[in-house]
Amino acid sequence: MAGMMTVCWFGRWLLVLVCVRLCLAEAGIGRSNRRKGYQRSNTRDEDTLHVGAIRWDAWSGGNDAISQYVERDLSVPRYHQRLPFFATVLANGSVSMVNGGTAATMEQELAYAADHGITFFAWVTYPLADPSLSYGLERYLNASGRSRVNMALIIEAGRLDNTTIPFARVASYFALPIYQRVTKDNRPLLFILSASNATRANLDGLRATAAHAGLPPPYVVSLNYGTVTKQAGIAKALAADAISQYVTVSSGWASHPGTGYPYAGNMAEEQGYWREALASGVAVVPPVTAGWDPRPREQFYPVPWKQRFPPQCLNATQRATPVYSKAKGSPPMCWVQDPTMQQLEEHVAAAAKTARSDAAGTHHTMLISAWNEIDEGHWIVPSLANGTAKVKAVARGIGASRRGDGAPAVGAAVGAATHEARIARPRQGPRQ
């Protein structure tokens, strides 16, 4: 018991020291987004719009396996148009992401995000021992401009076990002045990915750790797939506060091999998901999926977590081989088309308008998928080919929602089919 008391005492003081250190650092930064008409979202002001963007960071150009996989799968020339602004195409056509690991790149990403209305990054969280997937978050925490864009965590349910990602580590982030909070009670925003009823015990352990550190309970958003009814049931079992989705992919995506599922259809079904949740009285953080095209992951250099495709999306050789990409040069044939900038603007405006409504029940919070899911094919980070076109579309959509124009009214008809009948998530193995 004495040993446990010593550990608890040390953990609480560690949280205090981290918080004090960053509070002092924040006081010296003082940069604001207000010149662009955006307000930093770490506030209890219930009229503020909290616009999150998911980050999955493997773009530091390291020597580890994950970094090398993503560099290679984006080296295929047809995918160069999605390369982020910090990438380099070498003379032999291969891609280097080494500049993605620099402090200067992180400062530029923060500037791009803040200047275009992104108020927090939602970080897919990994063990600190995994450098390729944790390095981005570490660079953010050390960035001088970190106060321009807040942070929140996305934790996969399988890692929420107090060993893979210790509860004390999560609570130490909750204590930071840059951690995204919502509600008048200033609760830290937390997303749990792919949870089940069994996740409740570990989530309660995290809640207890936060309470012991003197922190308010996290505002928990369950990220799952399937029907609104199913998602709401899981959220209730978790004592979660709201539902959302990591990405929305229509179940009709596999019916358009070779052409991609039209983005307009996917957008309509995603808005149908918001509408259905509102009609059911379920609190929802409106997700905005900015495309979905994971073909690079199964063309030449298959990623180790294996993106899976239905048989109709594969040619005969791919269907016959354990690793689909052995059919070199023949990528899977199913994906969701990239949005036009007008579609992205309209979709963001509709999500923002929904998030602002009292009916949404999630304190004016929305989630864009994603900032940098680049090889999975949903991203808004500025690119080498198209510059800031996507983040500008996002900014215009946010602005339209403030003016009350450019977006359908909450509950407006956006598609004939209900979300219950349509939304499905393609199978995907766990990321390493």
Side-chain angles (χ1 to χ4, degrees):
M1 178 62 72
M4 291 178 64
M5 292 177 64
T6 301
V7 170
C8 293
W9 177 87
F10 176 77
R12 293 191 71 178
W13 276 105
L14 179 62
L15 290 178
V16 170
L17 289 172
V18 170
C19 186
V20 168
R21 176 178 174 269
L22 280 172
C23 281
L24 291 173
E26 299 301 319
I29 295 173
R31 285 192 287 179
S32 171
N33 308 329
R34 292 183 183 177
R35 72 182 188 277
K36 291 286 186 180
Y38 306 120
Q39 182 177 354
R40 185 176 171 219
S41 64
N42 196 11
T43 171
R44 301 176 208 182
D45 179 0
E46 292 296 285
D47 291 329
T48 300
L49 182 64
H50 310 299
V51 182
I54 293 171
R55 289 194 65 127
W56 181 74
D57 277 65
W59 317 108
S60 60
N63 293 322
D64 58 278
I66 301 297
S67 297
Q68 292 179 9
Y69 275 118
V70 298
E71 283 184 334
R72 288 182 299 195
D73 68 22
L74 291 174
S75 292
V76 181
R78 74 180 72 183
Y79 302 127
H80 284 182
Q81 56 84 26
R82 63 172 79 178
L83 291 174
F85 69 93
F86 52 79
T88 302
V89 180
L90 304 178
N92 62 2
S94 64
V95 168
S96 170
M97 298 282 187
V98 68
N99 291 332
T102 66
T105 292
M106 178 54 65
E107 299 293 350
Q108 183 61 70
E109 289 189 78
L110 290 167
Y112 280 136
D115 289 346
H116 294 89
I118 303 301
T119 53
F120 70 93
F121 284 140
W123 296 85
V124 181
T125 309
Y126 291 90
L128 292 176
D130 188 338
S132 62
L133 297 173
S134 291
Y135 189 54
L137 178 55
E138 293 303 296
R139 283 188 297 115
Y140 164 82
L141 290 171
N142 287 298
S144 62
R146 60 188 174 271
S147 67
R148 301 193 70 190
V149 181
N150 291 329
M151 66 174 288
L153 300 182
I154 297 175
I155 302 179
E156 294 184 67
R159 294 189 174 94
L160 187 67
D161 59 8
N162 203 27
T163 300
T164 309
I165 298 177
F167 298 159
R169 176 189 169 199
V170 177
S172 72
Y173 294 143
F174 289 170
L176 299 178
I178 53 175
Y179 198 91
Q180 178 62 48
R181 297 173 180 87
V182 295
T183 79
K184 293 180 179 179
D185 297 327
N186 224 25
R187 296 170 63 189
L189 179 62
L190 174 66
F191 298 90
I192 302 296
L193 178 61
S194 301
S196 66
N197 293 358
T199 309
R200 174 66 182 268
N202 284 333
L203 187 54
D204 284 346
L206 174 58
R207 289 175 173 128
T209 300
H212 187 72
L215 299 167
Y219 185 94
V220 178
V221 180
S222 175
L223 297 177
N224 262 294
Y225 304 99
T227 67
V228 167
T229 300
K230 176 184 176 181
Q231 291 185 37
I234 293 173
K236 182 177 180 180
L238 299 178
D241 299 276
I243 65 171
S244 190
Q245 298 193 140
Y246 190 88
V247 66
T248 301
V249 180
S250 167
S251 61
W253 71 292
S255 64
H256 292 71
T259 62
Y261 189 77
Y263 186 81
N266 206 69
M267 179 175 76
E269 294 186 21
E270 189 158 58
Q271 293 185 16
Y273 167 72
W274 316 335
R275 187 177 64 250
E276 192 166 333
L278 295 177
S280 303
V282 178
V284 61
V285 171
V288 173
T289 299
W292 189 80
D293 183 0
R295 290 176 296 165
R297 291 183 169 182
E298 285 295 347
Q299 184 172 7
F300 294 108
Y301 305 104
V303 292
W305 51 89
K306 295 294 181 295
Q307 200 89 32
R308 298 299 186 187
F309 292 85
Q312 62 266 39
C313 297
L314 308 171
N315 62 34
T317 303
Q318 290 167 323
R319 286 195 297 270
T321 56
V323 179
Y324 304 143
S325 57
K326 284 183 179 179
K328 188 173 182 179
S330 300
M333 296 177 287
C334 300
W335 67 95
V336 174
Q337 295 173 4
D338 212 38
T340 67
M341 296 307 96
Q342 181 178 352
Q343 287 173 327
L344 183 58
E345 175 184 341
E346 291 175 354
H347 197 27
V348 168
K353 201 167 186 179
T354 301
R356 289 180 187 279
S357 72
D358 292 335
T362 50
H363 308 278
H364 302 179
T365 305
M366 58 182 283
L367 186 64
I368 298 174
S369 183
W371 179 256
N372 59 352
E373 280 275 21
I374 300 165
D375 63 341
E376 194 172 71
H378 45 120
W379 80 96
I380 61 170
V381 64
S383 65
L384 288 178
N386 298 304
T388 56
K390 286 190 173 182
V391 287
K392 285 179 177 176
V394 168
R396 290 193 301 271
I398 295 170
S401 77
R402 285 194 171 94
R403 295 189 302 271
D405 58 18
V410 173
V414 290
T418 67
H419 176 76
E420 292 276 356
R422 292 291 195 99
I423 296 300
R425 166 74 164 172
R427 290 186 297 133
Q428 177 178 332
R431 290 181 174 134
Q432 301 301 308

